Amino acid sequence: MGTTAEDIARAEKLEGIGCSRKRKEDPRFVQGKGNYVDDVKLPGTLFADMVRSPYAHARIISINKKKALALKGVHAVYSLPMISNL
Amino acid sequence: MIKKKISFKLNEQEVEVEVETRELLAHVIREQLGKTGTHIGCDTSHCGVCTVDLNGNSVKSCTILAVQADGGEVMTVEGLATNGELHPLQQAFIQDHGLQCGFCTPGMLIRSYRLLQENPSPTEEEIRVGLSGNLCRCTGYQNIVKAVKTAAEKM
């Protein structure tokens, strides 16, 4: 695509293939009004944290959730047997 | 849990908040002050999306304690436009397609703002070095550099 003023004027007039289009969402994004998932605040939102095995190569024999569940603010601890029917 | 009352200027407005001394500036700006334009991308000061301006320096707000901003002046992306008029950098980013998903944009803008204060007419190389602490996961660097150049010419 040409870059002279004439080329740009023609491309703008054409409004088709090969011309730059202004995006509708940009004014929001450049002003910090994007509203990404982390920006959404719903009442009662909980946070999830993944617990990974501290061993690089091992078999899971059992998972003891007692201590985690006893912590203040912990609502649930999920492991595979509880969600395997999903 | 030690709490401390701090006050600072956020985008020219005086704010007062009670924070835990361990709390990070990014979290206070987002959670307590509701300015979600400042994003958190990595929590490890690699990506730069949390960049804000603190006392005339670009800082990664996920690596600064909120108490360090006490008595200071902070500017976030929300403070760039004046009276509804977009800053030349914001206009240039739109015009030159300097953003795709937009997630890194606030950090890029606020860092570019400081960069142009320090060096009003940077070369392409200087822009690239100046923005090296800000990652764009869409990899749209070409147009980001172009946009900063355009803005520099218009300012």
Side-chain angles (χ1 to χ4, degrees):
Chain A
M1 209 171 67
T3 49
T4 65
E6 204 179 300
D7 288 332
I8 292 165
R10 192 177 61 225
E12 271 173 13
K13 222 164 132 192
L14 279 172
E15 295 188 342
I17 292 165
C19 88
S20 304
R21 305 297 299 150
K22 277 222 171 104
R23 306 198 309 161
K24 277 187 175 173
E25 60 272 43
D26 283 1
R28 255 193 317 127
F29 285 154
V30 299
Q31 293 178 87
K33 296 174 183 166
N35 208 24
Y36 294 83
V37 177
D38 200 24
D39 304 336
V40 177
K41 289 278 165 291
L42 295 171
T45 303
L46 300 178
F47 291 87
D49 193 39
M50 298 291 170
V51 179
R52 296 196 174 103
S53 169
Y55 306 104
H57 188 82
R59 243 173 256 285
I60 298 168
I61 309 289
S62 68
I63 296 171
N64 188 341
K65 304 170 187 167
K66 250 190 209 151
K67 272 191 189 168
L69 282 167
L71 286 174
K72 199 179 153 217
V74 171
H75 288 247
V77 178
Y78 293 104
S79 56
L80 187 64
M82 299 167 76
I83 54 169
S84 57
N85 59 341
L86 292 179
Chain B
M1 200 184 301
I2 308 158
K3 289 218 169 193
K4 187 174 157 47
K5 210 172 248 178
I6 61 166
S7 60
F8 57 92
K9 264 195 177 161
L10 178 63
N11 301 329
E12 314 258 295
Q13 281 195 323
E14 202 66 45
V15 290
E16 200 182 84
V17 272
E18 200 178 50
V19 301
E20 289 173 37
T21 49
R22 60 163 192 91
E23 248 179 310
L24 298 167
L25 183 58
H27 292 136
V28 171
I29 289 173
R30 287 180 52 84
E31 310 293 330
Q32 294 220 48
L33 299 167
K35 298 274 183 233
T36 54
T38 302
H39 300 147
I40 299 173
C42 71
D43 267 325
T44 53
S45 74
H46 282 92
C47 79
V49 305
C50 66
T51 305
V52 300
D53 208 73
L54 173 61
N55 301 329
N57 285 308
S58 295
V59 297
K60 293 180 176 176
S61 62
C62 80
T63 317
I64 289 267
L65 293 168
V67 289
Q68 289 176 272
D70 195 14
E73 280 186 39
V74 178
M75 187 166 94
T76 66
V77 69
E78 287 95 341
L80 269 178
T82 40
N83 305 323
E85 174 93 10
L86 292 185
H87 187 275
L89 270 164
Q90 292 171 309
Q91 292 177 20
F93 267 65
I94 292 174
Q95 186 206 307
D96 289 342
H97 193 37
L99 61 147
Q100 289 172 73
C101 83
F103 197 75
C104 75
T105 311
M108 288 288 178
L109 286 167
I110 221 76
R111 172 62 200 132
S112 303
Y113 170 80
R114 184 49 52 195
L115 174 68
L116 294 184
Q117 299 283 317
E118 292 163 352
N119 181 357
S121 47
T123 63
E124 185 186 326
E125 174 83 19
E126 285 168 336
I127 295 170
R128 286 183 185 275
V129 171
L131 293 180
S132 59
N134 295 68
L135 301 183
C136 166
R137 312 285 193 187
C138 305
T139 70
Y141 297 103
Q142 211 67 26
N143 285 346
I144 291 170
V145 173
K146 202 165 127 193
V148 175
K149 193 111 215 229
T150 301
E153 281 158 16
K154 287 194 176 155
M155 280 166 73

